[in-house]
């Protein structure tokens, strides 16, 4: 809450100001997993989008500074790399799930056509 109040008070929002919200969303998702699985999935999805947006902004700024040769933050560079890996793993998991679903439906269609 302090980061959010500080960002609102100064009028200068930084990507790292979103990380306390990420922790709260992740915790809420874990707590609701047993009793309200749909709500837990929604919180997890919101957390993922917020993570990708905040990490991408931080990483893009740092990489731009690195390529320009100006001062850059190594932590933001690392966050940018980790977010890129997070997105890549998520894309591979999504493609694998779609492939399994398509192959399963092809097998089901083959069983009923014979």
């Amino acid at each position: 809450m302090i980061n959010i109040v500080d960002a609102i008070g100064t009028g200068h929002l930084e990507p790292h100001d979103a990380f306390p919200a990420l922790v709260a969303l992740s915790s809420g998702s874990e707590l609701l997993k047993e009793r309200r699985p749909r709500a837990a999935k929604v919180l997890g999805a919101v957390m993922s989008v917020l993570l990708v947006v905040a990490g991408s902004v931080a990483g893009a700024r740092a990489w731009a500074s690195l390529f320009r040769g100006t001062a850059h933050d190594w932590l933001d560079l690392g966050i940018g790399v980790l977010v890129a890996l997070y997105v890549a793993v998520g894309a591979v998991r999504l493609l694998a799930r779609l492939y399994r679903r398509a192959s399963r439906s092809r097998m089901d269609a083959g069983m009923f056509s014979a």
Side-chain angles (χ1 to χ4, degrees):
M1 290 300 292
I2 293 172
N3 283 355
I4 294 169
V5 171
D6 184 44
I8 292 170
T10 61
H12 188 65
L13 188 63
E14 289 291 324
H16 63 267
D17 292 332
F19 289 106
L22 290 172
V23 172
L25 288 169
S26 177
S27 299
S29 175
E30 281 297 314
L31 289 172
L32 291 174
K33 193 180 283 188
E34 294 284 326
R35 299 179 84 184
R36 308 266 320 231
R38 274 194 170 155
K41 283 186 179 184
V42 168
L43 285 178
V46 170
M47 183 213 48
S48 294
V49 169
L50 184 59
L51 174 72
V52 168
V53 169
S56 297
V57 169
R61 286 181 185 174
W63 283 102
S65 296
L66 179 69
F67 290 132
R68 281 191 306 246
T70 59
H72 55 277
D73 187 358
W74 287 102
L75 180 61
D76 287 347
L77 282 171
I79 289 172
V81 169
L82 290 176
V83 165
L85 290 173
Y86 180 77
V87 169
V89 167
V92 168
R93 287 184 65 197
L94 179 63
L95 290 174
R97 183 183 307 158
L98 293 174
Y99 177 75
R100 279 195 307 268
R101 186 176 292 163
S103 67
R104 210 177 287 143
S105 64
R106 271 188 258 130
M107 287 178 60
D108 290 344
M111 280 181 35
F112 293 118
S113 67

